[in-house]
Amino acid sequence: MKIGCIQMNVGFGKVEENFERAENLIREAASKGSEIVVLPEMWNTGYALEKLPELADRRGERTKAFLQKLSSELNIHIVGGSVATERDGKFYNTMYVYNREGELVSEYSKVHLFRLMDEEKYLEAGDSMNRFALGEIEAGGVICYDIRFPEWLRAHALAGANVLFVSAQWPTPRIDHWKTLLQARAIENQCFVIAVNRISRNPDNFNGQSMVIEPWGEVLWVGAEDEELAIIDVDFSKVEEVRSRIPVYDDRRPSLYTGVVEEVKG
């Protein structure tokens, strides 16, 4: 299956410009044969958190209409990265996923808020898992800081995900953490990880280096340090092969893990 990874330059607070750029790149990805297209985190506004009252997508209506139209028109699945949304006077970092029939198959708000960028001061945390299917592909989706919590990604894998989509705005100073964590999440969960970061020049410092990683941990692609649209061929049958060779899921002892956690808490 061909995956279109859109490592786009997100304009800070430039909503109209960002929507136009995203549409152009989605259409280009579809024209090049992509079957699934993936966007980065907060692509509608960037981290203009102080401007959310004027910039956030009210109830996600614009983004949902945008993704619904393109997915059905172009006959592609879209993992819509995430956008800043407003619901009932509160703001969220929300991912929408649409299948190629133009149906909303998942809506997820970022569960782990990143204090180093003051997310908790402006955003509400989500409280639900992001499991969905795109045709025959069983998937999960998380956002940026979520990948530092291995138990959260393992929960998605245990619920049936064979691929984990990650949308991010991961900064350049910690880009080595990004690469290492993504590889670890792929290896320990024996699944594909398809992670799309943003790039920018001002006022933030994000240098891309999006990644597609196989269940063995082999890196199929690393993005450049500039805006890039990459089309990557992925063979999802490799998940079953890896899991049959090293039976990690069969050898788990969850009752023991729970006991250890309770003992530490005590």
Side-chain angles (χ1 to χ4, degrees):
M1 179 171 282
K2 293 184 181 296
I3 313 295
C5 298
I6 295 179
Q7 180 176 278
M8 67 180 277
N9 182 14
V10 177
F12 185 82
K14 298 180 179 179
V15 175
E16 298 304 323
E17 178 182 302
N18 291 330
F19 266 91
E20 181 179 358
R21 189 66 184 138
E23 178 169 357
N24 290 339
L25 288 166
I26 291 169
R27 289 187 179 280
E28 182 181 350
S31 72
K32 293 180 177 179
S34 297
E35 298 166 81
I36 301 176
V37 174
V38 189
L39 290 163
E41 180 186 15
M42 294 279 277
W43 59 262
N44 66 333
T45 62
Y47 263 82
L49 298 179
E50 294 181 355
K51 298 182 178 181
L52 290 182
E54 60 187 91
L55 298 178
D57 189 353
R58 308 298 172 186
R59 295 177 295 280
E61 290 178 354
R62 179 176 183 179
T63 304
K64 289 187 282 188
F66 174 80
L67 297 176
Q68 191 280 329
K69 175 181 181 295
L70 289 174
S71 59
S72 59
E73 175 190 334
L74 301 173
N75 192 34
I76 55 172
H77 305 296
I78 302 178
V79 179
S82 76
V83 291
T85 61
E86 179 271 333
R87 300 195 304 274
D88 300 323
K90 297 179 179 180
F91 302 101
Y92 299 84
N93 184 342
T94 306
M95 175 184 288
Y96 299 111
V97 181
Y98 279 79
N99 65 21
R100 58 173 24 124
E101 287 78 38
E103 299 168 334
L104 177 64
V105 295
S106 184
E107 178 177 336
Y108 169 76
S109 291
K110 189 176 184 178
V111 165
H112 301 96
L113 300 181
F114 190 49
R115 295 177 183 272
L116 270 67
M117 292 185 73
D118 292 334
E119 285 188 336
E120 83 288 356
K121 295 179 181 178
Y122 299 95
L123 301 171
E124 299 294 319
D127 58 7
S128 60
M129 188 179 292
N130 190 21
R131 270 279 294 114
F132 53 91
L134 297 174
E136 297 181 356
I137 306 303
E138 297 295 333
V142 297
I143 301 172
C144 204
Y145 188 43
D146 283 337
I147 68 171
R148 287 189 182 270
F149 299 86
E151 61 271 41
W152 186 233
L153 276 72
R154 173 54 62 89
H156 287 74
L158 288 171
N162 293 326
V163 55
L164 295 169
F165 292 100
V166 182
S167 293
Q169 292 206 27
W170 199 281
T172 303
R174 293 182 293 280
I175 202 67
D176 287 340
H177 291 195
W178 161 260
K179 295 176 179 178
T180 301
L181 289 166
L182 291 173
Q183 252 185 307
R185 300 297 87 89
I187 294 168
E188 69 198 8
N189 292 302
Q190 299 179 321
C191 68
F192 279 91
V193 169
I194 297 172
V196 175
N197 197 17
R198 66 169 286 191
I199 67 105
S200 73
R201 295 171 181 85
N202 288 305
D204 305 308
N205 186 18
F206 300 95
N207 68 339
Q209 301 192 53
S210 304
M211 301 180 76
V212 175
I213 307 168
E214 288 191 333
W216 280 122
E218 178 184 352
V219 177
L220 297 181
W221 169 72
V222 179
E225 296 187 13
D226 206 342
E227 186 169 83
E228 181 175 2
L229 165 61
I231 313 298
I232 312 299
D233 278 310
V234 172
D235 179 3
F236 288 111
S237 69
K238 291 187 177 181
V239 173
E240 185 177 349
E241 173 194 340
V242 172
R243 290 181 179 179
S244 68
R245 292 178 64 180
I246 303 181
V248 168
Y249 289 86
D250 292 337
D251 292 339
R252 292 179 68 253
R253 300 179 64 190
S255 61
L256 178 60
Y257 312 152
T258 302
V260 170
V261 170
E262 293 305 318
E263 182 178 339
V264 170
K265 284 182 178 179

